[in-house]
Amino acid sequence: MDFQSTLFAPQPVDDTGALDFSTIERTTLTRGAWVDIARAWLPGADEVFETLVRDVPWRAERRPMYDRVVDVPRLLHTYMIGEELPHARLTDAREALSDHYADELGEPFRTAGCAYYRDGRDSVAWHGDTIGRGKTTDTMVAIVSLGDPRRLHLRPRLGGADAVVVEMGHGDLVVMGGSCQRTWEHAVPKVAHAGPRISVQFRPLNVF
Ligand SMILES: O=C(O)CCC(=O)C(=O)O
């Protein structure tokens, strides 16, 4: 992979190691769903990105679709409970998120799903993380975005509100919370032009 971190627009990332929630902003959606956003949140995002490109055991998946089996358009790997994460900054991030949301979430973030969007043709279709507890209970999915910006689209499952689009830039934190997984859906659509991007999604136990 020929990756140059200079491809990404410069972000005012605090490189001292502090994980600061003071700039986080919440957007309230309908039916008890919300999204929190903190821009340029992860310190050292360039180096984390390069490490993840190199060290995560990325795998391509295929899945049945109607009468065919098709490529899943992104590379994936999930770090399960107890598995060491590929960069200490991600371990720090998981702990900081668990502390910050402890009262509201009531449990720590445990797993880290990683998705590698190689270019604008990679994407994820409309879905909610409703396998497991997200189907019936409020929960959170915290995304750290690295690399080229992509857009997270959100729409209410039953209509009644406008869709929302969240730009996810290099080092940004985007947290979907409340009923978001079961009352809203989200997607990262294909785009004409995009460089590589990695999404790291922290989830509590039994949320997929
Ligand atoms: O690319 C992203 O940040 C979103 C990923 C996502 O929704 C998923 O993997 O379930």
Side-chain angles (χ1 to χ4, degrees):
M1 165 97 249
D2 180 19
F3 162 69
Q4 293 174 291
S5 53
T6 48
L7 288 174
F8 306 132
Q11 295 269 345
V13 172
D14 170 1
D15 220 11
T16 60
L19 286 161
D20 179 12
F21 288 91
S22 63
T23 63
I24 204 157
E25 284 189 7
R26 180 161 299 188
T27 301
T28 302
L29 306 174
T30 56
R31 299 170 64 92
W34 51 260
V35 181
D36 277 356
I37 301 170
R39 298 289 175 200
W41 181 76
L42 190 76
D46 286 4
E47 199 229 323
V48 177
F49 181 90
E50 289 177 60
T51 302
L52 266 53
V53 168
R54 190 186 61 227
D55 292 349
V56 174
W58 298 109
R59 64 166 202 284
E61 286 190 352
R62 292 173 63 74
R63 66 178 160 81
M65 191 165 143
Y66 305 112
D67 57 346
R68 293 178 299 147
V69 177
V70 297
D71 289 332
V72 171
R74 55 184 187 155
L75 304 180
L76 298 164
H77 180 78
T78 298
Y79 291 89
M80 301 305 287
I81 294 170
E83 287 184 326
E84 189 180 348
L85 298 183
H87 199 292
R89 297 263 195 206
L90 295 183
T91 311
D92 294 346
R94 187 182 57 197
E95 284 170 14
L97 287 161
S98 295
D99 285 349
H100 181 76
Y101 288 106
D103 289 347
E104 214 172 351
L105 182 58
E107 59 180 326
F109 291 94
R110 305 294 291 275
T111 62
C114 299
Y116 186 5
Y117 300 76
R118 293 156 289 188
D119 58 32
R121 290 168 294 187
D122 279 353
S123 62
V124 66
W126 288 110
H127 69 286
D129 295 6
T130 54
I131 301 171
R133 276 184 304 136
K135 189 177 181 67
T136 51
T137 56
D138 285 6
T139 190
M140 290 184 201
V141 176
I143 297 171
V144 173
S145 196
L146 300 160
D148 247 28
R150 292 290 292 265
R151 290 182 162 185
L152 182 72
H153 291 237
L154 296 123
R155 70 181 183 192
R157 280 183 194 274
L158 299 178
D162 290 339
V164 171
V165 178
V166 177
E167 174 102 350
M168 299 182 289
H170 188 42
D172 289 354
L173 171 69
V174 176
V175 183
M176 294 180 277
S179 68
C180 201
Q181 299 306 325
R182 63 179 195 282
T183 63
W184 284 62
E185 294 180 302
H186 55 278
V188 179
K190 296 181 194 309
V191 288
H193 303 287
R197 165 181 180 258
I198 291 174
S199 160
V200 182
Q201 309 118 36
F202 296 103
R203 295 183 177 86
L205 187 67
N206 197 22
V207 175
F208 307 98

